[in-house]
Structure formats: C-alpha cells, structure tokens
Amino acid sequence: PWTRALSLYGFAAAEGRYVLYNVFLDAAGPAYRIRREPWVADLSWGVGARVCAFSFTYRSVHRSAEFRPAGGTHRFDAFRLG
C-alpha cells in the first residue's frame, strides 16, 4: 500500500556570512545614504513529505537586514513540488 511509501520530515538551519562587497549596494557610490551591514544571517525551517514518487517541501527563510535604514528582517517562503 501507499502508506509504506509515505515519509514526513522537518528541518531547520542557521547560516551566517560576511559580505565583503555587494555590487547592488556598494556600486551606487557615496551619493546614497545607505549603510551596508556586512554580517548577514539566515534562519530557516521547513517541512516536507514524500508519497511514492512525489515530494512536497515548504521552507520559510528569515534574513537579517543587509543595509540600514531597512524595514528590519526580510522573510520569504518557498514551495517545491517534485
């Protein structure tokens, strides 16, 4: 039966990185009053399921601000069907 082919899982991750040069922010030059934040962090979590040959994954990512002034952290979600 298909219930033997069913699997459910969850995951979480934390990532930090130092951005030496951001072409979208640094190439603008000093004319713009944007203070770049070199340290950026991502926190993500998600859930997934697999039934026979089909899989579905949902992931939510929360990213720290890459520049100031910004509206705080950024969030985006992703869905995958395979």
Side-chain angles (χ1 to χ4, degrees):
W2 67 271
T3 55
R4 287 189 218 169
L6 173 66
S7 61
L8 302 171
Y9 58 93
F11 56 90
E15 177 184 334
R17 63 190 172 281
Y18 183 82
V19 180
L20 187 61
Y21 182 82
N22 185 330
V23 68
F24 299 107
L25 298 176
D26 296 331
Y32 296 97
R33 298 186 192 277
I34 295 175
R35 187 179 64 153
R36 187 171 61 83
E37 295 292 330
W39 288 101
V40 180
D42 287 349
L43 298 174
S44 63
W45 65 273
V47 294
R50 177 179 219 120
V51 179
C52 297
F54 299 100
S55 65
F56 171 79
T57 306
Y58 167 76
R59 175 187 302 250
S60 180
V61 179
H62 299 264
R63 179 168 292 162
S64 66
E66 296 183 62
F67 58 90
R68 302 276 186 236
T73 61
H74 303 280
R75 177 181 167 210
F76 58 92
D77 301 313
F79 297 94
R80 179 184 169 274
L81 181 62

